[in-house]
């Protein structure tokens, strides 16, 4: 008897992975790790009309980037696990076998209706104000299928190569129930379920048949997926029943929608474009149009920050804690604490999380960003200097690529000075303080470090009889051109003794 849970993330390679898909994968991963189970990655590529080249590789790379580790399934290096293959397009014979078994048992049937005939049926129903324009237990008896045609004609059509699909024979009057782990009991009358296509005319299954068959054969215990699949869940329960697998049917948990920032309606790429933020984990280039869509990674978000942000979109630990490592999320995660209502996507909160994680990063991890930007701008910058810049500025930025922008007063000596500060703070006393400090720097032989610089400036001002509070903003103005900024002593340390002296000289000349 299986005791540890097995979950799966089963995306379709029809384009880039939406942030909602990242959340679904994350919740599956957290649950599996919390319960000591396994997580599978299955690629549901049976809809060949929507297949997009490169999408599967994108999905795998995105999961790797955010730190979701797949135990079994499709990976960048190929399938891993005894249940391979994990691409549904490579499991065609398995689905055909189960679909034909349902036909033989009278639980499914062949249907030969053309697209035009189906459109005509829907039009008739709509004109008659029918409750639903669908192929169901009533309308199927007016259509061209194995339930209305003689058996020998059905056989002749199939042997003659006429296109057909296999449809589920939905019961006319039956209650279908499931106990969803997020939403509780869901009850649907079978009259509301249409006779879904299980096997298409190209021999490939629809999502409904394929996901049920694969979940059973791969021993999936919990299906954690988006709310958009909730209307299909009763159909899947029927399929488990018809296939004889109801006793081992997985438990369902349907996650709440991700809503627009305003809170009304499902979050889309268009909303993201209008709001100026990404909705995909990685940048995506459409292989057909060449259109580039923004990615959280390329926009400067750390994967840890994105995971923390996404984890709280629809789930809450029940405490005041907001910052979680992946291990802490695993420890705290509980399906019972997932909300039923939609979660508003607040990009400002995502930025807040990124700022928190930037602050926590080791200086040496962020230094390469500064180093590259400085070198691209034509500046000599050592790794040591880059690390000092990170230490000075990481509390002030939201994204790592903002560090160089914030550090421009270090790389560029001021040519312009804040006029407001100049008018208010630059006076004879300030000029005297700058001259005195410059003169002391000429004789200064100790290592040019923040603590020593601070002591030298303090001693200089005491000897000159100048109160430090009256001239510090003017001193900053002389060195950076601005009236505010990060720690001035650390700034001077990074600029270096020669650079500081040159800036003071230039200020004394310019700020007359």
């Amino acid at each position: 008897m299986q005791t540890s849970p097995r979950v799966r993330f089963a995306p379709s390679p029809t384009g880039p992975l939406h942030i909602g898909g990242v959340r679904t994968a994350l919740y599956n991963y957290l649950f599996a790790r919390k319960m000591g189970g396994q997580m599978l990655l299955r690629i549901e590529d049976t809809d060949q009309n929507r297949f997009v080249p490169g999408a599967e590789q994108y999905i795998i790379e995105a999961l790797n980037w955010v730190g979701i580790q797949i135990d079994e399934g499709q990976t960048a290096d190929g399938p891993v696990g005894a249940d391979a293959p994990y691409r549904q397009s490579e499991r065609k014979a398995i689905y055909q076998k189960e679909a034909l078994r349902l036909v033989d048992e009278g639980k499914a049937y062949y249907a030969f209706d053309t697209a035009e005939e189906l459109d005509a049926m829907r039009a008739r129903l709509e004109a008659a104000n029918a409750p639903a324009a669908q192929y169901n237990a009533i309308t199927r008896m007016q259509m061209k299928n194995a339930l209305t045609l003689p058996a020998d004609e059905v056989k002749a059509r199939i042997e003659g190569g006429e296109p057909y699909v296999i449809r589920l024979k939905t019961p006319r009057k039956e209650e279908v129930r499931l106990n969803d782990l997020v939403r509780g009991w869901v009850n649907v009358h079978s009259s509301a379920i249409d006779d879904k296509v299980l096997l298409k005319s190209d021999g490939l299954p629809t999502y409904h048949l394929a996901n049920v068959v694969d979940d059973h054969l791969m021993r999936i215990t919990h299906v954690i997926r988006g709310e958009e699949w909730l209307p299909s869940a009763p159909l899947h329960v029927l399929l488990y029943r018809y296939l004889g697998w109801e006793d081992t049917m997985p438990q369902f948990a349907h996650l709440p929608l991700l809503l627009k920032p305003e809170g009304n309606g499902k979050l889309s790429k268009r909303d993201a474009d209008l709001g100026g933020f990404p909705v995909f984990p990685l940048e995506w280039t459409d292989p057909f149009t060449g259109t580039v869509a923004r990615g959280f990674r390329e926009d400067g978000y750390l994967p840890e920050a994105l995971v923390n942000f996404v984890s709280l979109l629809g789930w809450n630990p029940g405490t005041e804690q907001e910052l979680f490592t992946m291990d802490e999320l695993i420890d705290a995660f509980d399906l019972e604490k997932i909300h039923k209502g939609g979660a508003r996507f607040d990009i400002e909160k995502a930025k807040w999380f990124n700022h928190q994680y930037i602050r926590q990063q080791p200086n040496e991890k962020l230094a390469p960003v500064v180093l590259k930007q400085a070198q691209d701008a034509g500046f000599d910058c050592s790794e040591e200097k880059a690390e000092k810049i990170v230490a000075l500025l990481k509390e002030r930025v939201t994204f790592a690529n903002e560090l160089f922008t914030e550090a421009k007063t270090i790389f560029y000596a001021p040519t312009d000075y804040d006029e407001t500060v100049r008018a208010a703070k630059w006076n004879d006393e300030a000029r005297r303080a700058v001259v005195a400090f410059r003169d002391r720097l000429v004789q200064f032989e100790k290592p040019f470090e923040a603590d020593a610089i601070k002591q030298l400036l303090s001693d200089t001002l005491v000897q000159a009889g100048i109160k430090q509070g009256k001239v510090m903003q003017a001193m900053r103005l002389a060195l950076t051109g601005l009236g505010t900024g990060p720690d001035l002593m650390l700034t001077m340390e990074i600029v270096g003794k020669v650079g500081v002296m040159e800036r003071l000289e230039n200020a004394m000349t310019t700020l007359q």
Side-chain angles (χ1 to χ4, degrees):
M1 181 177 177
Q2 184 172 323
T3 55
S4 62
R6 282 167 66 84
V7 300
R8 49 63 163 184
F9 180 54
S12 298
T14 55
L17 183 63
H18 189 275
I19 197 65
V22 173
R23 186 192 62 172
T24 298
L26 177 63
Y27 283 6
N28 275 278
Y29 178 72
L30 295 177
F31 177 75
R33 289 294 181 268
K34 173 71 176 285
M35 305 302 292
Q38 300 87 40
M39 178 173 174
L40 287 69
L41 175 64
R42 191 170 70 222
I43 303 298
E44 301 200 338
D45 61 343
T46 56
D47 190 345
Q48 293 295 298
N49 292 327
R50 298 179 62 217
F51 174 78
V52 175
E56 178 184 313
Q57 293 76 10
Y58 176 98
I59 291 166
I60 293 171
E61 184 182 353
L63 295 179
N64 287 336
W65 180 66
V66 297
I68 295 175
Q69 301 168 359
I70 301 302
D71 301 303
E72 187 179 318
Q74 197 66 32
T75 71
D77 298 322
V80 174
D83 292 314
Y86 295 96
R87 290 192 190 102
Q88 289 187 333
S89 61
E90 299 171 8
R91 300 170 62 83
K92 186 175 178 179
I94 298 172
Y95 312 125
Q96 290 176 336
K97 174 186 173 184
E98 297 300 338
L100 292 174
R101 176 162 73 88
L102 290 174
V103 171
D104 290 342
E105 295 175 359
K107 298 167 183 172
Y109 58 92
Y110 299 107
F112 304 95
D113 313 282
T114 64
E116 292 76 17
E117 289 167 337
L118 291 171
D119 289 341
M121 178 266 288
R122 295 188 188 99
R124 287 196 304 272
L125 291 172
E126 289 171 0
N129 294 317
Q134 59 186 18
Y135 205 121
N136 58 23
I138 297 175
T139 57
R140 65 190 176 208
M141 301 312 296
Q142 302 155 19
M143 303 303 290
K144 193 166 61 181
N145 55 57
L147 303 178
T148 59
L149 299 172
D152 56 348
E153 182 178 342
V154 171
K155 182 180 179 182
R157 284 173 180 267
I158 293 174
E159 290 177 349
E162 183 174 340
Y164 66 86
V165 299
I166 292 179
R167 288 183 178 272
L168 182 70
K169 189 179 179 183
T170 308
R172 184 169 181 177
K173 295 180 180 180
E174 196 168 312
E175 196 75 21
V176 183
R177 305 174 76 232
L178 71 142
N179 190 6
D180 188 89
L181 294 173
V182 174
R183 299 161 194 283
W185 282 102
V186 177
N187 302 301
V188 176
H189 195 271
S190 62
S191 60
I193 305 173
D194 57 342
D195 289 7
K196 290 291 186 186
V197 172
L198 302 180
L199 203 70
K200 296 177 287 187
S201 58
D202 60 4
L204 286 171
T206 60
Y207 169 84
H208 306 293
L209 177 66
N211 98 89
V212 167
V213 170
D214 285 344
D215 285 347
H216 172 74
L217 296 179
M218 295 179 184
R219 304 170 305 287
I220 300 303
T221 63
H222 295 76
V223 171
I224 304 169
R225 61 188 179 186
E227 181 181 300
E228 62 270 22
W229 291 112
L230 184 59
S232 300
L235 168 67
H236 299 161
V237 171
L238 269 181
L239 272 170
Y240 278 108
R241 185 182 304 169
Y242 279 9
L243 289 163
W245 302 332
E246 194 170 11
D247 290 344
T248 58
M249 182 175 68
Q251 291 183 277
F252 292 95
H254 288 89
L255 308 177
L257 292 176
L258 290 188
L259 304 177
K260 301 177 182 184
E262 315 86 65
N264 56 337
K266 185 178 178 181
L267 177 70
S268 69
K269 180 181 179 297
R270 183 173 181 275
D271 299 315
D273 290 342
L274 291 173
F277 59 86
V279 73
F280 304 128
L282 315 178
E283 188 176 87
W284 166 258
T285 302
D286 188 296
F288 304 116
T289 66
T291 304
V292 178
R294 297 167 64 168
F296 279 94
R297 181 178 66 181
E298 289 73 18
D299 269 23
Y301 288 85
L302 298 174
E304 304 93 330
L306 185 62
V307 163
N308 200 153
F309 168 63
V310 169
S311 71
L312 297 172
L313 293 175
W315 168 82
N316 189 292
T319 68
E320 296 299 315
Q321 183 177 350
E322 287 192 283
L323 298 178
F324 292 85
T325 64
M326 185 71 88
D327 286 342
E328 289 172 333
L329 284 173
I330 291 169
D331 186 60
F333 190 74
D334 187 340
L335 286 175
E336 292 183 358
K337 294 179 180 176
I338 293 175
H339 308 158
K340 295 179 184 178
R344 188 171 67 87
F345 192 88
D346 183 359
I347 194 62
E348 294 305 317
K349 192 66 175 181
K351 292 177 182 178
W352 180 86
F353 274 109
N354 208 62
H355 172 63
Q356 302 306 315
Y357 278 87
I358 287 285
R359 293 172 60 195
Q360 296 176 10
Q361 293 299 302
N363 298 334
E364 60 271 17
K365 186 173 180 179
L366 298 176
V369 178
V370 176
L371 198 60
K372 182 180 186 307
Q373 288 182 297
Q375 291 170 348
D376 288 348
F379 292 100
D380 290 328
C381 181
S382 66
E383 289 185 16
E384 180 184 9
K385 182 175 181 178
E387 287 183 20
K388 287 183 177 181
I389 290 172
V390 171
L392 177 67
L393 297 172
K394 68 182 181 181
E395 295 277 345
R396 301 170 64 87
V397 300
T398 299
F399 302 104
N401 56 15
E402 294 172 346
L403 286 164
F404 180 72
T405 301
E406 288 289 321
K408 284 192 173 179
T409 55
I410 292 171
F411 289 103
Y412 296 91
T415 54
D416 297 309
Y417 298 85
D418 187 301
E419 286 298 328
T420 302
V421 179
R422 177 177 182 170
K425 298 295 182 179
W426 189 257
N427 50 39
D428 289 341
E429 190 171 38
R431 178 178 174 79
R432 191 157 59 86
V434 167
V435 171
F437 184 48
R438 187 277 317 269
D439 291 344
R440 290 291 296 274
L441 281 175
V442 174
Q443 308 298 324
F444 188 69
E445 298 296 338
K446 293 181 180 180
F448 202 68
E449 297 173 349
D451 288 342
I453 298 168
K454 182 177 181 179
Q455 188 61 54
L456 176 66
L457 179 57
S458 178
D459 293 345
T460 300
L461 295 179
V462 168
Q463 290 179 12
I466 300 171
K467 291 184 177 180
Q468 188 166 317
K470 290 188 174 184
V471 296
M472 284 308 296
Q473 198 171 16
M475 188 67 69
R476 181 183 293 277
L477 181 73
L479 289 164
T480 68
L482 303 173
T484 60
D487 187 283
L488 188 59
M489 305 306 144
L490 287 172
T491 300
M492 285 193 276
E493 177 184 327
I494 299 169
V495 170
K497 177 181 172 181
V498 173
V500 168
M501 291 178 63
E502 288 175 350
R503 293 184 184 204
L504 295 177
E505 290 280 0
N506 186 59
M508 287 187 294
T509 303
T510 306
L511 297 172
Q512 293 294 345

